[in-house]
Amino acid sequence: MVEWIISKGLTPYDAAVAEMEARAEAIRAGTASEAIWLVEHPPLYTAGTSAKPADLITPDRFPVHPSKRGGQYTYHGPGQRVVYVMLDVAARGRDVRCFVRDLEAWIIVALAEFNVAGEIRDGRVGVWVARPEKAPLPDGTPREDKIAALGIRLRKWVSFHGLSINVEPDLEHFGGIVPCGISGHGVTSLVDLGLPVTMDDLDDALRRTFADTMTRPQS
């Protein structure tokens, strides 16, 4: 069984990382169940293992936390649902690529509950939505905005870190970084798309769609 944990208020980032690491160790030791932890953070930037210093545009704006997850710079803040996934990837087939694809599919199916067509793109991490109402990029490429980010770490085949989905964050806060190292395209949220979705609505959708998209542990 997977334990679902929802933390109210704003969870400090360093405390969340310490809690995830401890839970991952306990899962591998067999003393704790798998867990999905839903949080919000105060405004901050995280620097993944591939972060480039040039992509931190305003380094003094918010605290910057080095992170051992994969990926580059991301923003976390109020109005964004951060989903920490502490799951036994060994019991789910020991296929990291498949695990990441399952996480992407989970995001896409959850967004579809609100009639949002999320898509993935080769070479661009995260989940994207088409914005045909916006002007294309200078080279004529149709405009797409990012609505969800993804970055995980494995320790002894147990995952931690996870994904984030924008419900109603201050999108201007993303301007202090080049999100995930991708310039040109923008960032959006469920509310920015004109949908009156609450954090509780998204949490319910994530729970409904989890079992149908995430590979179950092997017996």
Side-chain angles (χ1 to χ4, degrees), residues 17 36 49 62 66 73 88 111 124 131 146 187 212 216 219:
V17 172
I36 303 293
T49 55
F62 298 126
Y73 281 104
D88 188 344
L111 292 174
R124 281 197 266 134
R131 303 302 302 269
K146 190 172 190 175
V187 181
D212 292 333
R216 291 179 173 85
S219 58

Side-chain angles (χ1 to χ4, degrees), residues 99-176:
F99 182 69
V100 171
R101 288 196 298 269
D102 285 348
L103 290 173
E104 292 171 335
W106 182 27
I107 296 169
I108 289 169
V109 173
L111 292 174
E113 298 256 312
F114 309 106
N115 295 316
V116 174
E119 300 177 341
I120 57 175
R121 293 287 182 263
D122 290 339
R124 281 197 266 134
V125 296
V127 176
W128 300 79
V129 294
R131 303 302 302 269
E133 75 280 12
K134 293 187 175 183
L137 299 182
D139 65 358
T141 301
R143 173 69 177 270
E144 296 177 334
D145 287 347
K146 190 172 190 175
I147 194 167
L150 175 65
I152 64 166
R153 179 173 172 79
L154 297 183
R155 179 173 295 169
K156 299 179 181 177
W157 286 102
V158 177
S159 68
F160 56 108
H161 294 285
L163 54 101
S164 60
I165 301 174
N166 297 329
V167 178
E168 193 179 9
D170 187 335
L171 296 179
E172 198 273 331
H173 288 179
F174 286 88

Side-chain angles (χ1 to χ4, degrees), residues 9-209:
L10 302 179
T11 301
Y13 183 77
D14 288 340
V17 172
E19 179 65 27
M20 281 191 287
E21 290 180 342
R23 184 63 176 251
E25 290 289 344
I27 292 169
R28 176 49 55 227
T31 58
S33 65
E34 297 180 305
I36 303 293
W37 187 18
L38 308 176
V39 307
E40 289 179 82
H41 288 304
L44 58 92
Y45 298 127
T46 67
T49 55
S50 301
K52 301 175 182 177
D55 288 343
L56 182 59
I57 299 170
T58 54
D60 299 325
R61 185 172 191 183
F62 298 126
V64 180
H65 296 264
S67 174
K68 296 178 181 179
R69 60 154 178 80
Q72 302 188 40
Y73 281 104
T74 61
Y75 166 77
H76 295 314
Q80 180 192 70
R81 176 52 88 207
V82 178
V83 184
Y84 289 131
V85 292
M86 290 156 281
L87 300 174
D88 188 344
V89 180
R92 294 165 182 269
R94 291 180 179 263
D95 188 328
V96 178
R97 290 185 178 181
C98 180
F99 182 69
V100 171
R101 288 196 298 269
D102 285 348
L103 290 173
E104 292 171 335
W106 182 27
I107 296 169
I108 289 169
V109 173
L111 292 174
E113 298 256 312
F114 309 106
N115 295 316
V116 174
E119 300 177 341
I120 57 175
R121 293 287 182 263
D122 290 339
R124 281 197 266 134
V125 296
V127 176
W128 300 79
V129 294
R131 303 302 302 269
E133 75 280 12
K134 293 187 175 183
L137 299 182
D139 65 358
T141 301
R143 173 69 177 270
E144 296 177 334
D145 287 347
K146 190 172 190 175
I147 194 167
L150 175 65
I152 64 166
R153 179 173 172 79
L154 297 183
R155 179 173 295 169
K156 299 179 181 177
W157 286 102
V158 177
S159 68
F160 56 108
H161 294 285
L163 54 101
S164 60
I165 301 174
N166 297 329
V167 178
E168 193 179 9
D170 187 335
L171 296 179
E172 198 273 331
H173 288 179
F174 286 88
I177 57 173
V178 178
C180 299
I182 300 167
S183 57
H185 295 285
V187 181
T188 191
S189 69
L190 290 165
V191 171
D192 180 57
L193 292 172
L195 301 169
V197 177
T198 67
M199 199 69 72
D200 289 343
D201 293 334
L202 177 61
D203 292 348
D204 290 343
L206 289 168
R207 293 195 69 154
R208 283 194 300 271
T209 56

